[in-house]
Amino acid sequence: MKTYLLGAGFSKALHPKMPLMVELGKTVATSSGTIDEIYLKMSENIEEWLSYLAGDQPWLDESSNLENRAKFSRVSTAIAENITANEPTVSELSKTSSLDQLLRLVHKWCNERSAIISLNYDCIIERALGIELGQVRERDLYVISLESRRDDTGMFAIPPTTDLRPRLHKLHGSTNWLYHGIENRFSPIVLRENIDYPSAYAGLHPVIIPPTSFKSAFYSNSSLRAQWESAGSALKRTSELTIIGYSLPASDLQIHALLKTQLSQDASLTIVDRSSDSAERIADELKVNNPRIFTGDTCLSDYLDTITPPLWRYIPAISNSPCEHLGFGRNYVTRRASYDTSGYELSADTLQAVLSDYLNIAEEVEYHAEPDRSFRVYNSGGNRAGRDADHPWSVADNKMELTRDFPESFASVEEGILRRSIRILGDAWAQGWTPNKRDVEDLISYLQTGYASESTVERFGIIRDSNVPPRWQLDYLDHGLSESLAQYYKDMQGPDAIDNSPSKTI
């Protein structure tokens, strides 16, 4: 088994908005308008401050201790709200190389069935696991059982997740975990889900555990203790420990003790940290011979380049047109099938053949660690055809490669915009649009700036409908753009009215 220990530096490397503990302390300590007096007396150390507030101090009377616990609850809520507000969306991550880095790493974790020990409160890993695993109940991602207050027993129930997932431990809690407070040792951990009834979580508080030596009150909860036991067991069995973005501060005695007493003596060590001083100190403290160390601003990407190849990308169609989009790196191909399908599976060998035949990828693409694992596609119908049988890629009539035909148009386009452009134009192409540089560049410009010229509006249409639910607005807009573009050229009786040469600017 391989184990990965993640600290706040991991999330910070993925997106600069993610706060470190020092930054969090300054924000929440001044949330009332004035800086907290005890926080200042603790030398602005948020870990010591939270530990002081959470525990009963013997020199204080009962009412003062109760006031401290109430303040701890308010501060925990403020921390959870601050992290949630700053947590990047998948769309934001896709605008840089962060999403590619994260998905490459998560993909490796799933193939290895790794143990993940996260000391972060955010849910970035959960979002990436959702992308990698497809249909998955969020509570199935964790090593401990979480209570759900969402009705998933009816027609929209999601089946139990398969075992193609790592074992995720969140030792310091999570912004989407709630409980009745540290004084209630038998309180269940409740998962906060995206449901429309916030009253379902009334009276509950975020599970936020400060990383300090004083934690006994927090671990009286049986569920929280269970995941520490699981983490200890994983470290005993691990063959390789990778620490990413965690400096192993002296104040975090519990993590020190966990690593020094439970880590297998035969385990190898990899440290990924921007600070070379922190990396060398961790190696010295854990006394592991010949650790691999990656430091500097590019430490995460440097590390990933040694363990994972670039991933292929699958983009489903946004309309009912029978087409799909497959990419490798920044090269994409769209295939138009002769029929629509409600789902299919590709084996590792077939996926390799598709990449080789349709994307001209000659080198080996190590997508699967095990040959039995399949690439699964579920479309709106929810059903699935047999593995490798009659999938759209095998019966496609022709193909379109926008990134190859218009390389200069896509050269400096961020990943998220590139994928949306391929999706919109691909679906329009499946309905009769013929590729041309004017449309490609006008669409990219609109997606990047939000500004559309009169001619762009005429060809693509701009849909503004406040009645569309927020979670559907992006797909609704993209569907309208592709439909409008295809209809525009149908009304013009075909694309012959313009010059379609990829090498010419229209």
Side-chain angles (χ1 to χ4, degrees):
M1 173 185 285
K2 296 182 179 180
T3 302
Y4 297 80
L5 177 63
L6 311 177
F10 173 74
S11 298
K12 189 75 170 180
L14 292 173
H15 202 278
K17 287 199 311 181
M18 294 305 297
L20 299 174
M21 287 301 291
V22 173
E23 298 166 339
L24 270 177
K26 292 180 178 179
T27 300
V28 300
T30 58
S31 58
S32 63
T34 57
I35 194 163
D36 186 88
E37 181 181 352
I38 300 299
Y39 173 73
L40 289 174
K41 291 181 178 180
M42 296 288 184
S43 300
E44 300 186 14
N45 186 310
I46 185 174
E47 293 96 338
E48 292 185 14
W49 179 45
L50 290 175
S51 294
Y52 172 83
L53 295 177
D56 285 345
Q57 309 304 334
W59 57 87
L60 297 179
D61 58 31
E62 181 63 19
S63 62
S64 296
N65 280 319
L66 285 173
E67 288 176 6
N68 279 347
R69 288 204 295 272
K71 181 181 289 186
F72 173 80
S73 178
R74 292 193 297 271
V75 172
S76 296
T77 299
I79 289 174
E81 290 175 348
N82 182 276
I83 291 175
T84 301
N86 285 289
E87 186 173 311
T89 64
V90 171
S91 176
E92 288 175 316
L93 288 175
S94 71
K95 293 178 180 178
T96 66
S97 60
S98 295
L99 183 61
D100 177 75
Q101 293 176 353
L102 181 59
L103 292 180
R104 287 165 65 186
L105 192 55
V106 165
H107 182 77
K108 181 177 175 62
W109 292 343
C110 289
N111 278 336
E112 294 174 348
R113 316 295 194 273
S114 305
I116 311 302
I117 301 175
S118 175
L119 306 179
N120 299 330
Y121 304 127
D122 62 72
C123 298
I124 293 177
I125 294 174
E126 288 91 322
R127 303 295 173 262
L129 284 170
I131 295 173
E132 169 68 16
L133 295 172
Q135 286 189 315
V136 58
R137 292 183 303 197
E138 191 170 2
R139 65 180 182 270
D140 288 339
L141 298 175
Y142 306 104
V143 295
I144 58 173
S145 296
L146 301 181
E147 178 181 302
S148 174
R149 298 191 174 180
R150 178 177 184 171
D151 179 16
D152 62 356
T153 59
M155 64 180 294
F156 296 108
I158 299 175
T161 306
T162 62
D163 199 32
L164 297 174
R165 57 194 167 101
R167 296 172 55 79
L168 179 58
H169 309 72
K170 302 195 78 171
L171 299 188
H172 288 167
S174 185
T175 57
N176 62 336
W177 291 7
L178 304 169
Y179 68 162
H180 289 97
I182 59 175
E183 66 278 0
N184 190 333
R185 61 180 299 183
F186 297 110
S187 170
I189 306 300
V190 178
L191 180 67
R192 183 195 295 273
E193 297 170 283
N194 294 324
I195 64 175
D196 299 324
Y197 302 101
S199 59
Y201 307 113
L204 299 178
H205 310 283
V207 180
I208 300 294
I209 302 170
T212 71
S213 59
F214 181 76
K215 290 180 178 172
S216 58
F218 295 97
Y219 300 120
S220 61
N221 183 284
S222 55
S223 293
L224 297 177
R225 290 183 65 87
Q227 70 165 347
W228 277 81
E229 293 174 7
S230 176
S233 176
L235 287 169
K236 285 182 178 179
R237 294 181 288 116
T238 194
S239 60
E240 179 181 330
L241 172 64
T242 301
I243 301 176
I244 306 178
Y246 179 61
S247 62
L248 196 63
S251 61
D252 204 348
L253 297 184
Q254 221 127 11
I255 295 295
H256 274 260
L258 176 69
L259 293 175
K260 290 180 178 180
T261 63
Q262 302 302 301
L263 181 61
S264 168
Q265 293 182 347
D266 299 326
S268 61
L269 176 65
T270 299
I271 303 170
V272 184
D273 198 292
R274 287 188 175 185
S275 169
S276 58
D277 291 340
S278 293
E280 291 172 3
R281 178 174 50 77
I282 293 170
D284 290 340
E285 290 199 29
L286 297 184
K287 296 179 172 58
V288 176
N289 294 327
N290 302 316
R292 291 200 308 160
I293 295 178
F294 298 83
T295 59
D297 292 340
T298 61
C299 59
L300 182 58
S301 59
D302 292 343
Y303 163 67
L304 287 174
D305 287 342
T306 68
I307 63 167
T308 64
L311 289 180
W312 58 269
R313 304 283 195 206
Y314 169 76
I315 312 177
I318 54 175
S319 66
N320 293 324
S321 59
C323 74
E324 295 169 297
H325 322 281
L326 191 65
F328 187 81
R330 289 177 61 86
N331 298 314
Y332 286 85
V333 61
T334 297
R335 298 290 292 184
R336 179 164 51 200
S338 58
Y339 70 98
D340 199 6
T341 180
S342 58
Y344 59 90
E345 286 190 29
L346 296 182
S347 66
D349 289 342
T350 301
L351 176 61
Q352 176 64 47
V354 168
L355 290 171
S356 221
D357 295 343
Y358 300 151
L359 281 174
N360 301 315
I361 302 298
E363 65 267 26
E364 182 70 18
V365 181
E366 297 179 358
Y367 173 67
H368 301 291
E370 305 84 19
D372 289 339
R373 186 176 179 196
S374 296
F375 159 44
R376 295 174 174 83
V377 175
Y378 297 92
N379 291 338
S380 57
N383 299 318
R384 176 161 46 85
R387 178 166 160 171
D388 293 340
D390 296 333
H391 59 80
W393 297 92
S394 67
V395 296
D397 297 327
N398 52 11
K399 66 180 180 179
M400 175 183 67
E401 296 181 78
L402 287 176
T403 49
R404 183 203 64 183
D405 294 339
F406 306 100
E408 68 282 0
S409 301
F410 289 100
S412 59
V413 177
E414 296 172 337
E415 177 67 23
I417 300 298
L418 185 148
R419 288 164 63 83
R420 281 189 70 192
S421 302
I422 295 295
R423 207 174 174 210
I424 293 166
L425 295 171
D427 278 29
W429 168 77
Q431 300 174 69
W433 172 74
T434 299
N436 65 86
K437 190 171 185 178
R438 181 184 65 178
D439 288 340
V440 170
E441 295 193 343
D442 281 356
L443 176 64
I444 290 173
S445 176
Y446 168 65
L447 295 181
Q448 287 177 326
T449 67
Y451 171 77
S453 66
E454 185 176 341
S455 63
T456 301
V457 172
E458 181 183 10
R459 281 173 285 130
F460 287 93
I462 302 298
I463 297 177
R464 308 282 190 200
D465 190 344
S466 60
N467 294 321
V468 180
R471 63 182 179 276
W472 292 347
Q473 282 178 354
L474 193 63
D475 279 347
Y476 189 74
L477 172 62
D478 289 354
H479 181 276
L481 293 171
S482 66
E483 290 281 331
S484 296
L485 183 62
Q487 189 61 49
Y488 176 81
Y489 285 108
K490 288 178 184 177
D491 293 343
M492 290 182 63
Q493 298 178 344
D496 293 336
I498 65 170
D499 184 354
N500 290 300
S501 172
S503 62
K504 296 181 180 180
T505 302
I506 305 300

